[in-house]
Amino acid sequence: MTKRTDAVKKLVTGILALAIILLAGEFAARLDDWAFQRVPYLAQVDREHDLMLHDSRCVRGRPRGFFKKYRLNDFGFRGPEITREKQNGVKRVVLLGASETFGLYESEGHEFAEILRQELSKSGEPVEIINAAVAGMTLPSLQAYWEHWVSGFGADLVLIYPSPQFYLDNAPPAAVTPHPDVFNRPIPVRSRLLGRFTDAVKQVEWIKRLRVLYVLRHEQSGKDASWIFHEVPADRVDRFRQDLSALAQAVARSGSTPVLVTHAFKSLAPYTEEDLKQLDAFRIFFPRALPEVIPAFDAAAAEATIRVARAGKWSWVDASRPLSGRRDLFADLTHFNDAGSQEMAKLLIGPIRTLLSEQTGKR
Amino acid sequence: MLFNSFIFLFVFLPIAYLVFWRLQNVSARYIWLVVTGYVFYGYWNPWFCLLMAFSTLVSYSAGLGFLSYEGKAARRLCLILPITVDLLILGFFKYANFGLSSLQSLLTAVGLDWRLPEAILVPFMDGWHLRFRDIILPVGISFYTFHTISYIVDAYRGVIRPTRNFFEFSAYVSLFSQLVAGPIVRFRQIEKDLENLGGADRTRWLPVGVAYFCYGFAEKVLLADSLAWFVDPAFRQWEQLSTLGAWGAVLGYTFQLYFDFAGYSSMAIGLGYMFGIRIPINFNSPYKATDPSDFWKRWHISLSSCLRDYLYIPFGGNRGAEWKTYRNLMLTMLIGGLWHGASWTFVIWGAYHGLLLSLYRGFASSWDTLPRPIRQGFMFFSAVIGWVFFKASDFHVALHMLQTMFVPVGGTLMERPFVFVVLLAIAAYWGMVGRNPHDLTENFTWKTRHTVLFAAIFGASLALIAGGRNSPFLYFQF
């Protein structure tokens, strides 16, 4: 065999092997999704599309939506099926918030809303828990969502667990304008293998660091030093307070009782090296804030939450004080792991019982 | 660094491989293997490299001692001193806190109200801050300690001639393919390959290496990690399991553990071949075993042969009175159990296997007349019961699991039961009936169908890893 034929043969074998690797990978990724996540083999998968719906008035959870371990019911809420009308004698508790409340990293059935539901049902209390949280929802979007969708479910109590970090974004958050025509279109065919690789590569520590550096450089270019939040921006805390107050008022106007929950954060000073690494990586979302400003802002938002509750004479639960800084309870800086979810549920179940029994007493 | 991680597959391995074969002389190759071994190991925690380097230095010096001194006393010193140092290091990192908590339990049990500290704290550097925390078990310490001890003992016995080449010895200890979870390779087993490393032929062993590696990759990622998806949550909720759920969890674990460790071993052997070093087999379809003695000739072969050569035979083996043989068997298996981990459940697991071996020794002549399927089935069942102790976090959990398995009770099942049953059936066939990589790679010659098969296995496994299914190997904890 000549050298040339040998080289051609090697090249063809290499291309063949690569093609088989890719095909087998795509086949396995789909089989894996089907076997372990119940995703139809030929379905196109996209987290935002599969879990969110833009209707003419607001953004909400997609009815019967599912993506990996996340499953939504007929009304687009995470958790078991419910009826629109409350059953006689049953109290309804709605949880409003973003991904921390929706449950991102907890294993299936371990998000704190679900633990609350299980605990209450174990003790036979006629209470229904609705996890109405939607990942990525800011307070203004939550308000629109409440007014146009969730308020129709007749909640007795509404626990609001806001995500303050959105207020460190380039601009303060505003309500998302729904784009039903654009967003609800079928998604194009995508390789699930490629999607998995992209996600996996993003998790590699040094790639994460490079991405942060790139984003920071890109975002900061052409801006002066005042663009960076060197300390907690008071106007943003104020804006957070106003938006939270507006949402709580909207809830109260609908006849439900709002309960405000202060936000818990993984890292507290003195920061460990791991904390600083994570805070630095978090700047990919909030390049304006210096690492130490992020937890400080969270603490300031927790205080603001209590001020809002006091001003509106609403109840509050302080999750920040007992949970912040307990690194073992968090999967990342803001999202709970299974243990954290368990702790959060423990913290909430008492006030829920008390407030519901107070409501019953009043009536 | 895990074999089933992208950083290993696409960065570490290609660089290690290409540079290794570019180097022309044996010393450069030894040095490169040492460098790669330390990078591989230091990826977990660079500080632990110091520990391995120290252990290497101690054992290497012992080897030089054997070469230099002829006197009995000096040779004994070269045997006892380094082994004591190695065992002290292992004992401190692996057993200190276990000993402390056991002592506390004992004191409480005899009514003494002495409060010992909950754990021994060790200093560590967090950036520039000195902090204290519980002892962390350096990954693979049990394995490389075994490597170094076997080297010293074999040198003392004259089975091997110790090497004067420090890098050859370091390459043996820190060989990344078998560094953290075995197989426990004895110096004598790879001595020739190490010495001939300078003239090793890259293409000769590459096909066998790739075949072993891909086979192990499939065992680990496709089978073991998929089973783990069911088994781990089931064991976390052990109190809520039904009888069927408990059997499912334990059977699932039986195959998960096997494919996890056998997969790792096959990958390690494959990597060894890729670098011109033939690492001996570690698993030979253990669930095909027909009696306890056969099981231990097939399960973790490198460990069981070490236990035989360095414990059982020195204890007296089967020489002498019958009761002494039983005593030696029990002692060997108890220590073997404790080697797996600092927990009483491992001791019980070791004792259980010691008992099985003793029973078999007593009744072998009758047992061996039974039909093969009965013997295989019974041995499998016995192994499954043993794994309950191996997996359980404590004795209470193990007993609860056994009670749930044998006293019918309602409760939870596995999630996605259909998928679980299909997976279990594949695993059972593969493990109990099918061929193992050693059968497949005997007289191996690469054909086009192998390209298709191994490319498909590799692609499928990559897809699962990319989906987040790359759990650490179970035997890393030992």
Side-chain angles (χ1 to χ4, degrees), chain A residues 25 32 34-36 38 196 273, chain B residues 6 126-127 229 416 456 459 463 469:
Chain A
D32 185 47
W34 170 80
F36 293 93
R38 286 170 279 187
R196 282 175 175 227
E273 200 163 305
Chain B
F6 287 129
D126 178 15
W229 192 87
R416 306 285 280 151
R469 195 93 64 73

Side-chain angles (χ1 to χ4, degrees), chain B residues 172-464:
Chain B
Y172 157 67
V173 177
S174 65
L175 192 63
F176 70 84
S177 58
Q178 40 98 21
L179 174 58
V180 290
I184 300 165
V185 181
R186 287 185 251 180
F187 188 70
R188 63 173 115 145
Q189 293 171 311
I190 58 168
E191 191 181 4
K192 275 208 178 101
D193 284 342
L194 277 175
E195 274 162 16
N196 297 331
L197 211 55
D201 178 4
R202 185 182 72 82
T203 51
R204 185 174 173 205
W205 298 116
L206 182 64
V208 186
V210 172
Y212 260 116
F213 188 83
C214 286
Y215 199 98
F217 203 36
E219 287 182 312
K220 165 65 180 164
V221 180
L222 301 182
L223 276 178
D225 288 352
S226 297
L227 283 167
W229 192 87
F230 299 96
V231 171
D232 293 347
F235 267 92
R236 273 200 299 273
Q237 297 170 0
W238 54 275
E239 280 176 305
Q240 290 148 30
L241 288 174
S242 64
T243 295
L244 208 57
W247 272 106
V250 174
L251 283 173
Y253 181 69
T254 298
F255 288 106
Q256 181 204 347
L257 182 69
Y258 167 55
F259 286 114
D260 191 282
F261 194 21
Y264 181 88
S265 297
S266 298
M267 290 162 91
I269 293 169
L271 289 166
Y273 271 99
M274 286 183 209
F275 288 82
I277 297 167
R278 286 166 293 167
I279 294 172
I281 67 168
N282 207 22
F283 285 86
N284 187 13
S285 304
Y287 295 143
K288 288 180 187 168
T290 53
D291 58 66
S293 171
D294 188 22
F295 179 81
W296 282 102
K297 282 176 192 150
R298 293 165 175 269
W299 178 276
H300 202 173
I301 298 165
S302 62
L303 174 72
S304 47
S305 61
C306 278
L307 291 177
R308 183 195 61 211
D309 294 348
Y310 301 116
L311 288 176
Y312 180 67
I313 292 174
F315 284 155
N318 52 10
R319 305 182 302 274
E322 192 71 357
W323 71 269
K324 281 187 178 168
T325 306
Y326 290 118
R327 179 204 64 187
N328 298 339
L329 270 177
M330 286 304 291
L331 267 176
T332 305
M333 293 314 289
L334 278 172
I335 296 172
L338 195 61
W339 174 86
H340 280 84
S343 160
W344 287 107
T345 50
F346 288 120
V347 179
I348 290 165
W349 174 76
Y352 171 77
H353 273 279
L355 193 67
L356 287 180
L357 284 165
S358 302
L359 282 172
Y360 175 67
R361 190 175 167 78
F363 298 100
S365 52
S366 324
W367 179 258
D368 291 344
T369 58
L370 292 172
R372 186 185 165 87
I374 292 179
R375 285 181 289 141
Q376 187 183 346
F378 191 82
M379 187 55 233
F380 176 72
F381 175 78
S382 306
V384 169
I385 301 302
W387 296 136
V388 175
F389 291 99
F390 198 84
K391 170 69 177 170
S393 53
D394 59 47
F395 194 58
H396 172 66
V397 176
L399 285 186
H400 184 96
M401 281 299 277
L402 286 172
Q403 190 185 350
T404 311
M405 286 161 73
F406 290 103
V407 182
V409 63
T412 56
L413 265 177
M414 316 302 261
E415 288 215 25
R416 306 285 280 151
F418 172 71
V419 177
F420 176 67
V421 169
V422 170
L423 205 57
L424 201 61
I426 294 171
Y429 179 80
W430 195 328
M432 298 178 76
V433 184
R435 297 168 71 190
N436 66 42
H438 318 300
D439 300 332
L440 292 175
T441 47
E442 248 173 43
N443 306 319
F444 186 78
T445 44
W446 193 274
K447 297 194 175 110
T448 310
R449 68 165 191 273
H450 294 119
T451 307
V452 176
L453 176 71
F454 292 126
I457 285 177
F458 192 68
S461 304
L462 282 185
L464 298 203

